[in-house]
Amino acid sequence: MTEARQPRMQVFLTLPAYNEAEALPRLLAAFEHDILRQGYGGRVVIVDDGSTDGTAGVAREWSSRLPVELVQHRENRGLGETIEDGLRRAGELAGADDVIVTMDADDTHSPALIREMAQRINGGYDVVIASRYRPGAQVVGLSALRRLMSFCASILFQVLYPIPGARDYTSGFRAYRAAVVQETFPQGGARVLREKGFASMAEILLRLRRRGVRICEVPMILRYDRKPGTGKMKIGATVGKTLALLARHRFVE
Ligand SMILES: Nc1nc2c(ncn2[C@@H]2O[C@H](COP(=O)(O)OP(=O)(O)O)[C@@H](O)[C@H]2O)c(=O)[nH]1
Ligand SMILES: [Mg+2]
């Protein structure tokens, strides 16, 4: 009798979702095809952040086809709380050596890249960032203003808070060794992240920087042209919050 083949690795995909009913089915189908059908085990944790477009219904539909779990916010709480709730739930489900991945739920990030990111975690890194600032990376369909903004943020963070191996501090697409998430967001613990909006992604890295985690990057192709509808980021607010984060981590925390 043949020994049941052990899945190669468990990947826990965490999706912060605010009005992503249109993009989610494409993204989940790609995750199924590129990861679950390639011998990886895994689950998907969708955190619905008070969507009004039926995002929760799409998640429920897919839970009959894939190991999808829905976490719901009755009202919109912002990316900060959404990503923290997703990471905490994934940390609860995962074993210490499993991989927890966060990516946008708007189908602009490709799940196929998770395979390479998981291998880097297996190779000893604690965090792998899908980066816009590595040879081979591409950004398709993003406005010049947004590209410039992200690039300036990247330079500022690298100068003020250098982390070996990190250039893209604001990308939402990352893989973490589960143990790092479990230590940073302990079960039953108080809220960790202070940033409510997009600056929360950089805040996570600044907190991990203090723990001396090993970080590397892989080049990503950001397909902003695949995003249904327009970007929801409030540019002015995000610039302000990011600058405040830069100052606070330097002088206060
Ligand atoms: N804009 C926005 N996105 C949120 C919120 N909560 C969760 N998200 C999700 O956070 C991710 C990043 O947001 P997105 O609009 O894709 O940002 P962008 O692609 O950089 O413009 C997406 O998966 C959103 O669905 C929120 O309150 N506002
Ligand atoms: Mg996005």
Side-chain angles (χ1 to χ4, degrees), residues 16-20 49 76-79 82 103-106 108 146 198 224 227 231-233:
Y18 180 53
N19 292 337
E20 303 287 5
D49 190 24
N76 179 248
R77 311 286 306 169
L79 184 56
T82 306
M103 62 197 303
D104 284 7
D106 60 0
T108 59
R146 283 284 312 267
F198 284 70
Y224 216 71
K227 188 179 178 79
K232 290 168 271 190
M233 181 192 282

Side-chain angles (χ1 to χ4, degrees), residues 145-183:
L145 174 63
R146 283 284 312 267
R147 293 169 74 128
L148 179 66
M149 229 181 75
S150 310
F151 183 70
C152 293
S154 164
I155 299 298
L156 265 178
F157 277 107
Q158 287 180 74
V159 169
L160 293 175
Y161 303 102
I163 303 175
R167 291 180 186 166
D168 197 336
Y169 289 59
T170 55
S171 161
F173 192 4
R174 294 179 188 152
Y176 303 86
R177 177 183 307 288
V180 170
V181 170
Q182 291 159 343
E183 286 155 22

